[in-house]
Amino acid sequence: MRGLALLGVAAVAVALVVFLFIGKGGPVANPDEPFKVEDSYARAVGASAMAGAAFMQITNQSGQDDVLIGAKTNASAMAELHTHIEDGDGIIKMRQIEGGIPMAAGETVVLERGGKHVMLMGLNDGLDMGEVVQITLTFEKAGEIVIDVPVNNEK
């Protein structure tokens, strides 16, 4: 019986060490990849289009809260963080997100059609299916990360 008690104490001690040194069940920090971007795509638009949009899922793996404060690309004269807002008359309008998009540690933010997205204004050319657009996302604390966004109307 005494052996079982010692085994139980040892198991609790190991669990405590794992808890203290490996993690507490919260967000896992990854300094090598503070933000993971998945499922990114832009919609194809013709050469006469003045604007396009990019969409993605961004997960904050930095271990600290941060704010996505901007975007830029060589594919357009300007890139802004936008969302859709319904005015008092039931009309939905696109607006720039003032102050950026807050991202808590461990949180995944979805930029999607009909919601938050990266607006590409003053396109240099159309966005053709299969093309890849390079976009730089700027975070308040983490700085800039560069992502490749495929142009894909099938998503």
Side-chain angles (χ1 to χ4, degrees):
M1 198 60 150
R2 184 165 188 210
L4 286 176
L6 287 175
L7 186 60
V9 169
V12 169
V14 168
L16 182 60
V17 168
V18 169
F19 178 78
L20 290 174
F21 290 102
I22 295 179
K24 299 175 184 165
V28 176
N30 183 351
D32 296 328
E33 189 180 6
F35 290 90
K36 182 163 84 174
V37 179
E38 298 177 291
D39 298 326
S40 65
Y41 70 98
R43 300 286 293 169
V45 295
S48 63
M50 296 300 296
F55 313 96
M56 64 204 70
Q57 293 180 23
I58 307 169
T59 301
N60 181 349
Q61 303 181 135
S62 70
Q64 63 181 342
D65 295 351
D66 209 335
V67 180
L68 174 61
I69 57 173
K72 61 185 176 184
T73 180
N74 289 335
S76 65
M78 190 166 40
E80 292 180 348
L81 303 174
H82 274 213
T83 191
H84 292 82
I85 297 174
E86 184 177 341
D87 70 7
D89 298 326
I91 298 172
I92 296 178
K93 298 179 181 181
M94 258 189 288
R95 293 285 183 252
Q96 183 177 6
I97 299 172
E98 298 295 330
I101 301 171
M103 297 190 64
E107 179 181 18
T108 298
V109 171
V110 178
L111 306 184
E112 60 190 344
R113 288 183 283 181
K116 297 173 186 149
H117 58 279
V118 176
M119 192 73 191
L120 310 174
M121 298 176 296
L123 289 172
N124 299 329
D125 202 359
L127 299 175
D128 298 322
M129 270 295 275
E131 180 181 9
V132 175
V133 177
Q134 196 170 72
I135 296 177
T136 302
L137 301 175
T138 305
F139 295 88
E140 192 172 75
K141 294 177 185 168
E144 295 183 339
I145 65 165
V146 179
I147 60 169
D148 289 329
V149 179
V151 178
N152 183 351
N153 279 5
E154 295 177 7
K155 286 192 166 198

